[in-house]
Amino acid sequence: TELRYFDWGSEGKPPLICLHGHTGDAHIWDEFAEAMSPYYHVFAVDQRGHGDSQWATDGYDRDLFVSDLSAFMDGLSLEKVTLVGLSMGGWNSILYAPDHPERVERIILVDIAPDIGKGMKENRAPRPPTPLEFDSLEDAISLARQNNLWATDERLRRDIVARTRQRDDGKWVWKADPKLMGGTLRDTEPEFVARSWRSFEAIKGPILEIRGTESPAVSDELLEDMTKANSQFSFVDVVGAGHVVCVDKPQEFIEAARAFLGVTA
């Protein structure tokens, strides 16, 4: 599976890999990657079936995403990295790190926990299926605004432009593989949740959770459980951000990450 990625240069600096969430793309990291590029060699990846990466022929099992991460690091000869993962990208980081402790320096989890089922089910009302096509780009942006009250108009537009394309018939469609749209992620099933907790407990390096205060994904109860499960864990909130913290409040997200990464303004 061919993967598109953005390389923010800074040869010789420690590598940092950014992984977006479900149905997202690498452009969510634009502001963060630019801010970190003087200190890190930043790579932002479109994961399989997302953005301008290839749609997968062998499916979207979670272990395939993890294998892709390993292959990406091998292909670029990245020996030890910092991982920054939003939502699905955080899950992939949690599963990768314990099996490769020598290759992961530290992890930033963005609005994700080993178990999101409880918080999401209790706090999020059922939504209709996401439309797969739109008559105009403005229609896609309007739908996105219904689900995101926190990003600026300009940042929300850039996010949707990056995640959509216009077909020859004039319709606008998502770049993500339609197989990824809608339905329930098996990652919320008890067997996967138990596996995620085991992996989280086994991570050796420092872990920072950056949570959006307007998102239901990571409850206070989950933060307490994560604190008990791994002594290397800490967390910080970004006020006024929803689930995609780095899009909703880019500068505040950068500030939340600085101390953990040892980066001064």
Side-chain angles (χ1 to χ4, degrees):
T1 303
E2 293 184 345
L3 303 180
R4 177 185 74 164
Y5 69 95
F6 296 100
D7 182 339
W8 289 80
S10 300
E11 294 287 346
K13 299 291 185 180
L16 182 152
I17 298 176
C18 297
L19 302 172
H20 60 74
H22 186 70
T23 73
D25 90 316
H27 279 296
I28 67 166
W29 305 109
D30 284 353
E31 295 90 345
F32 177 70
E34 182 174 0
M36 293 300 112
S37 62
Y39 315 98
Y40 286 90
H41 191 161
V42 183
F43 302 90
V45 185
D46 279 345
Q47 298 175 91
R48 61 168 52 214
H50 295 78
D52 286 333
S53 286
Q54 185 181 4
W55 291 1
T57 58
D58 53 351
Y60 296 102
D61 186 82
R62 182 63 49 218
D63 287 321
L64 294 175
F65 286 96
V66 178
S67 294
D68 287 347
L69 173 59
S70 184
F72 179 79
M73 291 177 59
D74 290 345
L76 294 179
S77 300
L78 304 177
E79 295 183 0
K80 194 160 191 175
V81 304
T82 292
L83 296 175
V84 183
L86 166 76
S87 196
M88 177 190 78
W91 276 334
N92 298 341
S93 301
I94 289 172
L95 294 180
Y96 176 83
D99 292 335
H100 307 85
E102 76 287 354
R103 302 190 73 178
V104 179
E105 183 75 32
R106 61 187 64 223
I107 299 174
I108 295 180
L109 302 175
V110 187
D111 210 59
I112 195 66
D115 179 9
I116 66 165
K118 182 185 296 184
M120 297 294 265
K121 290 175 182 177
E122 291 179 356
N123 291 281
R124 179 169 291 178
R127 294 178 180 173
T130 301
L132 297 182
E133 63 179 38
F134 303 90
D135 291 331
S136 69
L137 176 63
E138 298 305 321
D139 287 346
I141 294 170
S142 177
L143 175 69
R145 176 55 79 195
Q146 293 176 32
N147 299 322
N148 185 334
L149 306 178
W150 309 284
T152 65
D153 289 343
E154 186 273 336
R155 189 61 183 90
L156 187 67
R157 171 177 285 273
R158 284 201 290 122
D159 183 51
I160 299 306
V161 167
R163 293 170 57 200
T164 58
R165 62 180 177 85
Q166 190 173 23
R167 288 194 317 223
D168 292 341
D169 64 2
K171 297 283 189 180
W172 288 81
V173 295
W174 302 108
K175 288 183 177 180
D177 188 337
K179 293 177 182 177
L180 294 163
M181 309 299 292
T184 301
L185 293 175
R186 62 178 294 270
D187 306 78
T188 61
E189 297 173 358
E191 180 180 352
F192 180 86
V193 170
R195 178 188 174 193
S196 292
W197 275 115
R198 291 194 299 270
S199 294
F200 180 81
E201 292 170 358
I203 294 173
K204 300 301 182 184
I207 312 164
L208 175 68
E209 172 79 41
I210 301 181
R211 180 176 68 162
T213 60
E214 302 303 316
S215 169
V218 182
S219 65
D220 291 343
E221 179 183 0
L222 278 172
L223 287 180
E224 291 179 9
D225 291 342
M226 294 168 80
T227 301
K228 294 174 183 176
N230 194 309
S231 62
Q232 295 269 53
F233 176 75
S234 60
F235 62 89
V236 62
D237 285 342
V238 173
V239 176
H243 185 51
V244 189
V245 185
C246 48
V247 167
D248 296 348
K249 300 291 180 182
Q251 297 308 313
E252 291 86 345
F253 176 79
I254 291 167
E255 291 304 316
R258 281 190 184 278
F260 179 74
L261 294 175
V263 172
T264 58

